[in-house]
């Protein structure tokens, strides 16, 4: 079939077999306008992937505008529906193209156009009309030189497939028309399905709309979950109150049987909820239909079938919220022990698991490059190299500041400006200065990289930066939001080079009270690029009195006053253990793991970044009351604080949480001479109660308040190299002070709201990717270190486990008290306290325990840090103390830039 053009005509081919089309083997394809229009209406992501294929010149994918061609355009006939008309239009185009190829080539062996469709009736009619036609499966199986392509075919059959049970396991999904009627009448509720990481038999559905009551609905049990997958948009029927359940405290992982035996599942469902306290019951429901599937390609591993020569296997996704997927492959032996990508094709009601197909092999499990690729894909982090069209908008080198650049810009290169950052930081967003004025007041400046000077609205560089939304910092890798020429060079405020900046300058008295504020585009020349440690050393030095050190001391003194004032106003000082790795210079494996230490200089920089963000927020909202991009932190609902209040009660403390100020005061009262770490533990627990801070458009919201900072208004201005939100804020501020011109999208609140939605998603995914990177490197550390015994504190008490925090490593883990194939101990769980009694030993939040830390590699897919109880000693539960490997090195600790 070498001398053939493929005429891809069926929308089903695209929607289900886009992975096949993307394979390098598949080339010379004609895409009809009729089909492209249908795909565009059905699936925007698939349509984008098709456009990318068309723009890849090596693939030879061509579009044919058959709807605008005289000889292929057809009218809809009387009694003919739109689908039949389109099928006929496709056949007419296929026939015409074959005749056309005969006319334009003299060679008898002219290219033949073949018609590929999964619509059997359309294929039969095509053959009757003399058009060579194949289904996608027939065509792919004919490519005998590339048998691996067969694995990538979508599994399209829903019923009667051998790999599925004939028994109906799930209720039928209601058709969309009935779901829409039910939602309109209030019979059903529409929401986003969120599967649990800890319990595969439980999920929550977050209800859309303004309904405050029943905002979150619990779904428990396989039949009630009814084939919904994490992030699907579903319709839910609320169960009668007599059937409401409480969120389960049981930790359950799917063991992934190859069969469809659900009896074991039903037995597990019986253990989910034994709550008798009516207060614990929550609105509960069942999924009655799927409004929109949000399936994506999933990374994971093949769980090879025990049946010899079987081509049907289970795929276990890396994300525990995603169910196992059945696939058919002839490469099982090759793919075992590899990270692979699989796509879901469908989930029949008579199958325990969804059906899918193999997409791509990423590499060996445990390989650092492979695992990094997995976590980037799993968290949807755009990480491909910047395209030539993006790079074409970068300034030509060598670059220098021109007269044109200095228009509407102040020359501040004479000021003693310096930057303070973590070691080895190359993307320096911010620099500071402080000097005394002739009138005795102080001038303080925050100077931020003028990224918006280089990234102009609407071009390819701007679009790519907006799509990426944020720079993603992994343990050994940085995924830049903007190309390196900007991030590490032209925009980075390095020392002793001229750079363009956007400056926020205050005149203050010595009590840190702001007397005047002004904003200006500027040119600066930083006199020093310091680390937090170097800046701290200068401040503390008895002998250093140069201009840079004097400036730093002035900044530090003012920062302390600003921080005290914020705390008095109700700002929260929370805690979240951050870790840093020391890596081997040759293998790049982590050889030491420590929690990060914060210095005064960390707080100094943070205070002025916060102050600049607040000042800019006020200015852009004054000028653009409907179009300002702001950042808010919603107050948590009272229910979020339940675990914190119970923990306080167990320590005989009375916590007030009705305002941020009340919570801050409650946290400040936690003191224990015998237990100095207790205050930190309470702050860590309080952090878990918080809501996510989000970007929003001022014209689309009334609540601007930032709960954590106790500020009535806030935005992000200080990190435009690594956050796209800051670039928009820079543009708004530039227009507000007359330093730049506006453009239509900047004052379109609906487009700004859509942009905020993407930025919030990208920011959240970046945080998750960073945590996943830390988790992977933590596993590498303990794999090399062997057995470690450490003191830990209980953060949460579950029905069958305790969740502990190890301060030395900033590491969290679960100690299970029920293990497979071992006698079950007596467990008594009290959710009110909360406490867990194991045999005769009772555990409470913040109790001190001793645990053994090992790496459990028994499950290659989900290698995990395993924690076992050493102390207190419980016969049959606790394990004897092993001799851990000792490591007494205490190298200098690295700082990380504070998020604000």
């Amino acid at each position: 079939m070498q001398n053939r053009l493929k005429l891809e005509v069926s929308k089903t081919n695209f929607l289900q077999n886009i992975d096949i089309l993307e394979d390098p083997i598949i080339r010379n394809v004609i895409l009809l306008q009729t089909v492209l229009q249908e795909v565009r209406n059905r699936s925007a992501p698939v349509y984008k992937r098709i456009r990318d294929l068309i723009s890849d010149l090596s693939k030879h994918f061509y579009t044919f505008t058959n709807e605008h061609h005289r000889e292929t355009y057809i009218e809809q006939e009387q009694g003919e529906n739109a689908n039949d008309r389109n099928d006929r239009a496709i056949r007419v185009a296929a026939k015409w193209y074959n005749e056309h190829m005969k006319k334009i080539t003299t060679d008898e062996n002219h290219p033949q156009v073949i018609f590929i469709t999964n619509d059997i009736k359309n294929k039969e009619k095509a053959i009757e009309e003399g058009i060579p036609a194949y289904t996608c499966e027939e065509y792919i199986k004919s490519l005998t030189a590339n048998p691996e392509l067969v694995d990538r075919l979508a599994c399209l059959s829903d019923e009667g497939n051998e790999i599925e049970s004939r028994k109906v396991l799930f209720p039928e999904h209601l058709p969309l028309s009935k779901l829409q009627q039910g939602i309109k009448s209030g019979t059903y509720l529409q929401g986003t399905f969120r599967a649990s990481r800890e319990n595969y038999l439980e999920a929550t559905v977050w209800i859309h709309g303004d309904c405050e009551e029943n905002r979150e609905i619990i779904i428990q049990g396989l039949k009630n979950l009814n084939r919904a997958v994490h992030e699907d948009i579903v319709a839910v029927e609320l169960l009668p109150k007599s059937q409401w359940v409480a969120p389960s405290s049981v930790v359950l992982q799917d063991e992934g049987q190859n069969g469809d035996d659900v009896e074991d599942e039903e037995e597990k469902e019986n253990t989910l909820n034994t709550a008798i306290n009516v207060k614990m019951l929550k609105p509960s429901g069942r999924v009655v239909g799927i409004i929109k599937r949000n399936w994506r390609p999933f990374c994971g591993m093949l769980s090879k079938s025990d049946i010899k020569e079987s081509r049907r296997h289970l795929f276990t996704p890396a994300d525990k919220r995603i169910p196992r997927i059945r696939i058919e492959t002839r490469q099982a032996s090759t793919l075992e022990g590899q990270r692979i990508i699989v796509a879901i094709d469908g989930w029949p009601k008579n199958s325990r698991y969804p059906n899918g197909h193999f997409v791509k092999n990423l590499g060996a499990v445990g390989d650092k490059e492979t695992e990094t690729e997995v976590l980037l894909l799993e968290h949807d982090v755009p990480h491909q190299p910047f395209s030539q069209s993006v790079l074409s908008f970068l300034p030509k080198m060598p670059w220098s500041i021109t007269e044109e650049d200095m228009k509407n810009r102040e020359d501040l290169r004479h000021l003693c400006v310096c930057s303070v950052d973590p070691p080895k930081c190359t993307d320096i967003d911010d620099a500071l200065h402080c000097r005394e004025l002739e009138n005795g007041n102080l001038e303080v400046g925050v100077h931020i990289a003028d990224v918006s000077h280089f990234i102009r609205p609407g071009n390819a560089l701007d679009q790519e930066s907006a799509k990426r939304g944020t720079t993603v910092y992994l343990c050994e890798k940085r995924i830049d939001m903007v190309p390196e020429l900007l991030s590490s060079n032209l925009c980075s405020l390095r020392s002793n080079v001229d750079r363009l900046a956007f400056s926020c300058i205050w005149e203050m008295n010595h009590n840190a009270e702001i007397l005047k504020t002004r904003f200006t585009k500027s040119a600066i020349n930083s006199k020093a690029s310091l680390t937090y440690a170097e800046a701290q050393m200068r401040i503390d030095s008895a002998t250093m009195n140069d201009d840079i050190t004097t400036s730093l001391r002035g900044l530090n003194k003012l920062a302390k006053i600003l921080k005290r004032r914020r705390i008095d106003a109700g700002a929260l000082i929370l805690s979240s253990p951050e870790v840093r790795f020391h890596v081997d210079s040759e293998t790049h494996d982590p050889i030491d793991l420590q929690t990060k230490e914060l210095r005064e200089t960390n707080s100094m920089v943070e205070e002025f970044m916060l102050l600049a963000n607040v000042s800019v927020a006020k200015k852009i909202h004054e000028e653009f009351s409907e179009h300002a991009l702001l950042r808010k932190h919603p107050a948590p609902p009272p229910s979020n604080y339940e675990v914190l209040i119970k923990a306080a009660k167990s320590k005989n403390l009375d916590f007030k949480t009705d305002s941020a100020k009340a919570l801050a005061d409650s946290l400040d009262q936690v003191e224990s001479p015998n237990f100095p770490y207790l205050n930190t533990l309470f702050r860590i627990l309080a952090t878990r109660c918080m809501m996510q801070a989000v970007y929003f458009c001022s014209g689309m919201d009334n609540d601007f308040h930032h709960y954590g900072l106790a500020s009535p208004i806030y935005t992000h201005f200080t990190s435009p190299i690594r956050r796209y939100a800051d670039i928009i804020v820079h543009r708004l501020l530039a227009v507000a002070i007359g330093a730049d011109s506006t453009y239509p999208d900047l004052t379109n609140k609906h487009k700004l709201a859509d942009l905020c939605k993407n930025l919030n998603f990208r920011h959240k995914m970046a945080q998750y990717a960073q945590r996943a990177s830390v988790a992977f490197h933590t596993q590498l550390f303990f794999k090399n270190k062997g057995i470690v015994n450490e003191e830990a504190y209980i953060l949460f008490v579950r029905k069958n486990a305790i969740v502990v925090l190890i301060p030395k490593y900033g590491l969290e883990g679960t100690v299970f008290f029920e293990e497979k194939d071992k006698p079950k101990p007596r467990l008594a769980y009290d959710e009110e306290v909360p406490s867990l009694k194991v045999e005769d030993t009772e555990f409470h939040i913040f109790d001190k325990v001793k645990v053994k830390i090992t790496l459990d590699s028994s499950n290659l897919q989900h290698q995990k840090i395993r924690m076992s109880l050493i102390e207190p000693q419980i016969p049959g539960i606790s394990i004897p103390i092993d001799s851990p490997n000792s490591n007494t090195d205490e190298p200098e600790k690295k700082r990380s830039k504070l998020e604000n």
Side-chain angles (χ1 to χ4, degrees):
M1 293 203 177
Q2 290 301 312
N3 202 26
R4 291 190 177 183
L5 281 168
K6 276 77 73 179
L7 187 66
E8 276 287 348
V9 298
S10 165
K11 61 184 176 291
T12 312
N13 288 348
F14 283 135
L15 296 172
Q16 300 280 5
N17 288 304
I18 183 68
D19 298 315
I20 289 269
L21 293 174
E22 288 174 331
D23 193 280
I25 298 297
I26 305 299
R27 294 184 297 157
N28 302 326
V29 176
I30 302 164
L31 313 169
L32 295 184
Q33 178 190 2
T34 308
V35 178
L36 283 175
Q37 285 173 344
E38 285 204 53
V39 172
R40 188 177 192 172
N41 293 334
R42 291 275 297 274
S43 174
V46 172
Y47 181 74
K48 186 188 179 302
R49 289 167 75 180
I50 292 168
R51 299 304 307 178
D52 290 343
L53 287 173
I54 294 166
S55 62
D56 182 352
L57 300 180
S58 68
K59 291 282 285 179
H60 301 290
F61 271 50
Y62 308 100
T63 53
F64 175 42
T65 52
N66 62 304
E67 297 290 352
H68 297 282
H69 188 77
R70 184 185 301 151
E71 296 181 61
T72 56
Y73 173 75
I74 62 166
E75 295 281 354
Q76 188 170 342
E77 295 176 350
Q78 195 171 357
E80 186 179 46
N81 64 34
N83 194 58
D84 289 343
R85 180 263 169 208
N86 286 348
D87 285 349
R88 187 162 58 85
I90 287 163
R91 294 196 302 276
V92 167
K95 194 164 189 175
W96 176 85
Y97 226 111
N98 253 327
E99 295 300 321
H100 177 65
M101 296 305 290
K102 286 177 188 175
K103 287 177 187 174
I104 63 170
T105 53
T106 53
D107 187 356
E108 287 184 10
N109 190 25
H110 62 80
Q112 184 185 27
V113 176
I114 61 170
F115 168 34
I116 299 176
T117 177
N118 285 337
D119 184 331
I120 301 302
K121 286 184 181 176
N122 204 12
K123 178 196 160 193
E124 288 170 353
K125 284 181 182 177
I127 291 170
E128 285 171 16
E129 294 169 18
I131 304 165
Y134 299 86
T135 64
C136 191
E137 184 175 353
E138 288 168 343
Y139 176 73
I140 294 302
K141 286 184 174 176
S142 73
L143 302 177
T144 52
N146 302 96
E148 73 282 356
L149 281 178
V150 177
D151 287 357
R152 302 180 72 177
L153 282 167
C155 179
L156 297 177
S157 68
D158 265 11
E159 309 295 337
N161 193 316
E162 280 178 62
I163 63 172
E164 296 157 11
S165 161
R166 292 181 183 176
K167 181 182 174 185
V168 174
L169 304 177
F170 297 99
E172 189 87 58
H173 285 151
L174 297 180
L176 193 57
S177 56
K178 282 195 175 179
L179 296 178
Q180 288 167 339
Q181 287 172 10
I183 290 164
K184 197 173 180 181
S185 67
T187 308
Y188 307 132
L189 297 167
Q190 177 177 321
T192 303
F193 184 88
R194 304 248 169 95
S196 166
R197 270 194 175 88
E198 292 188 332
N199 189 335
Y200 75 100
L201 293 174
E202 183 171 281
T204 53
V205 173
W206 287 80
I207 302 305
H208 300 168
D210 300 323
C211 164
E212 285 303 318
E213 193 184 359
N214 305 333
R215 189 80 183 160
E216 183 182 337
I217 294 178
I218 293 177
I219 315 288
Q220 278 187 1
L222 272 184
K223 283 188 169 62
N224 288 340
L225 296 170
N226 197 9
R227 296 170 286 156
V229 176
H230 184 64
E231 292 295 340
D232 283 350
I233 308 298
V234 299
V236 173
E237 181 181 42
L238 200 61
L239 295 172
K241 282 194 173 182
S242 59
Q243 295 179 35
W244 285 11
V245 295
S248 176
S249 298
V250 176
V251 180
L252 279 180
Q253 303 297 334
D254 185 1
E255 300 298 330
Q257 302 91 338
N258 277 294
D260 278 320
D261 181 15
V262 292
E263 287 179 15
D264 185 45
E265 314 288 359
E266 288 168 1
E267 193 178 308
K268 286 179 184 174
E269 284 174 26
N270 294 333
T271 69
L272 282 182
N273 224 297
T274 53
I276 50 171
N277 188 337
V278 178
K279 288 181 186 174
M280 309 304 295
L281 300 179
K282 304 278 184 187
S284 309
R286 65 186 187 96
V287 174
V288 293
I290 309 294
I291 293 162
K292 185 190 173 191
R293 289 289 193 190
N294 272 323
W295 294 341
R296 58 176 173 82
F298 299 106
C299 300
M301 284 183 67
L302 194 72
S303 301
K304 197 176 170 188
S305 170
D306 295 333
I307 303 167
K308 201 177 178 184
E309 305 300 323
S310 175
R311 287 186 290 186
R312 287 155 186 157
H313 310 273
L314 279 176
F315 163 82
T316 306
D319 187 341
K320 291 183 181 179
R321 296 169 299 186
I322 306 300
R324 295 194 170 204
I325 302 165
R326 282 203 171 98
I327 67 165
E328 191 170 325
T329 177
R330 294 152 182 78
Q331 307 175 65
S333 299
T334 308
L335 297 179
E336 209 172 7
Q338 302 286 300
R339 290 284 193 188
I340 64 173
I341 298 177
V342 161
I344 298 179
D345 299 319
W347 195 342
K349 62 179 181 291
N350 57 345
S351 173
R352 168 66 181 83
Y353 298 108
N355 297 329
H357 65 271
F358 167 74
V359 175
K360 186 182 180 183
N361 184 358
L362 295 173
V365 172
D367 174 75
K368 261 185 284 194
E369 287 298 315
T370 301
E371 296 299 338
T372 300
E373 179 74 6
V374 167
L375 74 86
L376 291 171
L377 289 169
E378 279 296 289
H379 297 99
D380 199 9
V381 175
H383 60 286
Q384 298 308 314
F386 289 99
S387 67
Q388 280 307 310
S389 63
V390 168
L391 298 175
S392 69
F393 286 96
L394 293 174
K396 302 293 180 282
M397 297 300 286
W399 175 88
S400 62
I401 297 174
T402 64
E403 277 187 37
E404 185 66 25
D405 294 334
M406 290 306 293
K407 285 183 180 176
N408 299 317
R409 195 179 289 276
E410 279 188 49
D411 192 338
L412 303 179
R413 284 174 281 195
H414 61 284
L415 291 178
C416 185
V417 170
C418 68
S419 62
V420 184
D421 290 281
K424 298 180 183 176
C425 177
T426 61
D427 54 341
I428 303 172
D429 286 289
D430 53 86
L432 299 153
H433 88 270
C434 176
R435 64 174 180 166
E436 191 160 340
L437 299 172
E438 288 181 4
N439 63 8
N441 291 328
L442 298 170
E443 179 187 86
V444 176
V446 166
H447 310 276
I448 305 300
D450 189 4
V451 182
S452 63
H453 174 84
F454 297 95
I455 301 181
R456 302 310 294 165
N459 67 24
L461 175 56
D462 183 45
Q463 289 171 8
E464 181 65 21
S465 304
K467 175 187 156 192
R468 294 186 177 218
T470 181
T471 293
V472 181
Y473 294 89
L474 307 180
C475 290
E476 287 185 73
K477 193 172 186 174
R478 188 180 82 201
I479 313 297
D480 280 330
M481 180 184 80
V482 299
E484 190 178 17
L485 179 65
L486 296 183
S487 68
S488 295
N489 187 350
L490 301 186
C491 290
S492 184
L493 305 181
R494 303 187 301 189
S495 57
N496 303 314
V497 288
D498 292 347
R499 288 291 177 257
L500 300 178
F502 210 148
S503 301
C504 174
I505 299 170
W506 303 279
E507 184 177 332
M508 293 181 176
N509 60 25
H510 287 264
N511 197 32
E513 291 165 333
I514 297 171
L515 306 173
K516 289 179 189 172
T517 304
R518 68 187 183 92
F519 307 97
T520 180
K521 291 244 182 178
S522 61
I524 66 166
N525 186 299
S526 173
K527 304 302 181 277
S529 299
L530 305 172
T531 65
Y532 290 113
E534 287 167 348
Q536 191 68 54
M537 183 190 71
R538 281 175 173 265
I539 290 168
D540 296 340
S541 170
T543 56
M544 297 183 80
N545 291 295
D546 57 279
D547 288 348
I548 293 170
T549 305
T550 303
S551 176
L552 287 169
R553 286 184 184 134
L555 289 166
N556 197 41
K557 184 182 173 186
L558 292 170
K560 288 177 181 178
I561 300 169
L562 290 169
K563 185 172 184 176
R564 186 69 261 161
R565 195 172 292 151
R566 277 197 314 110
I567 292 169
D568 290 344
L572 294 171
I573 307 298
L574 300 177
S575 183
S576 185
E578 287 187 77
V579 298
R580 66 147 300 191
F581 295 93
H582 293 281
V583 296
D584 186 284
S585 57
E586 291 182 10
T587 66
H588 297 285
D589 284 346
I591 53 175
D592 198 12
L593 170 63
Q594 296 169 332
T595 50
K596 292 179 179 177
E597 175 196 336
L598 296 180
R599 294 179 171 87
E600 267 186 9
T601 43
N602 288 88
S603 181
M604 178 190 78
V605 173
E606 183 186 23
E607 286 308 315
F608 286 107
M609 297 306 112
L610 293 175
L611 190 63
N613 287 334
V614 170
S615 297
V616 170
K618 288 175 182 174
K619 180 66 177 177
I620 63 173
H621 185 246
E622 280 171 17
E623 296 289 331
F624 302 98
S625 60
E626 292 286 298
H627 312 112
L629 191 157
L630 301 175
R631 187 164 176 82
K632 69 172 182 176
H633 182 214
S639 58
N640 280 31
Y641 286 125
E642 284 175 7
V643 66
L644 186 67
I645 291 167
K646 286 175 182 176
K649 197 175 176 183
S650 71
K651 298 295 177 188
N652 298 315
L653 294 168
D654 182 23
F655 257 46
K656 302 291 184 204
T657 58
D658 46 313
S659 70
K661 173 67 175 161
L663 175 60
D665 291 343
S666 295
L667 288 167
D668 286 343
Q669 75 175 8
V670 178
E671 285 183 7
S672 176
N674 302 324
F675 191 178
Y677 196 65
L678 183 64
N679 189 282
T680 304
L681 286 170
F682 267 104
R683 291 182 192 277
I684 290 169
L685 201 56
T687 305
R688 309 295 172 89
C689 303
M690 294 298 121
M691 304 291 283
Q692 185 86 28
V694 290
Y695 297 111
F696 68 101
C697 172
S698 59
M700 306 289 276
D701 208 321
N702 296 319
D703 177 19
F704 292 8
H705 191 73
H706 196 294
Y707 180 82
L709 297 174
S711 178
I713 193 166
Y714 191 67
T715 194
H716 271 164
F717 164 76
T718 54
S719 295
I721 294 176
R722 61 190 179 98
R723 292 189 305 232
Y724 188 77
D726 303 53
I727 293 177
I728 295 295
V729 170
H730 277 226
R731 289 174 182 169
L732 288 165
L733 184 61
V735 174
I737 65 170
D740 206 343
S741 54
T742 188
Y743 58 98
D745 283 5
L746 195 64
T747 52
N748 183 325
K749 64 183 182 182
H750 296 286
K751 288 198 173 177
L752 199 57
D754 287 341
L755 174 66
C756 287
K757 189 176 178 182
N758 178 60
L759 295 180
N760 290 329
F761 172 74
R762 293 296 179 201
H763 187 73
K764 183 172 69 173
M765 289 298 106
Q767 287 181 321
Y768 291 163
Q770 189 171 342
R771 287 174 201 165
S773 179
V774 169
F776 173 64
H777 281 77
T778 303
Q779 289 175 10
L780 285 180
F781 170 70
F782 284 106
K783 182 180 181 180
N784 297 331
K785 194 170 179 68
I787 297 166
V788 177
N789 303 327
E790 282 297 338
E791 288 182 346
Y793 295 98
I794 298 174
L795 274 185
F796 301 102
V797 176
R798 304 287 189 224
K799 247 182 189 176
N800 59 344
I802 53 173
V803 179
V804 301
L805 173 76
I806 297 166
K808 181 176 177 181
Y809 299 123
L811 180 65
E812 207 174 296
T814 307
V815 177
F816 290 96
F817 293 115
E818 287 182 332
E819 292 192 49
K820 210 174 178 184
D821 305 324
K822 284 192 177 179
K824 289 188 178 181
R826 281 184 291 114
L827 300 178
Y829 176 64
D830 185 337
E831 195 147 11
E832 276 299 299
V833 175
S835 67
L836 176 66
K837 194 170 185 180
V838 183
E839 296 295 339
D840 297 318
T841 303
E842 199 162 339
F843 294 96
H844 300 86
I845 291 179
F846 302 153
D847 281 357
K848 191 175 181 180
V849 295
K850 193 164 195 173
V851 295
K852 179 176 87 169
I853 313 165
T854 53
L855 179 67
D856 182 358
S857 302
S858 59
N859 182 342
L860 266 181
Q861 164 72 337
H862 290 122
Q863 293 189 53
K864 58 189 176 187
I865 301 296
R866 185 182 176 86
M867 296 196 183
S868 309
L869 188 71
I870 297 175
E871 293 174 3
Q873 278 289 319
I874 305 173
I877 301 290
S878 300
I879 57 167
I881 294 179
D882 290 292
S883 297
N885 298 338
S886 62
N887 190 336
T888 56
D889 294 338
E890 290 290 337
E892 187 187 352
K893 298 173 183 178
K894 178 182 171 185
R895 298 280 20 88
S896 86
K897 188 174 283 190
L898 284 174
E899 265 296 326
N900 38 64

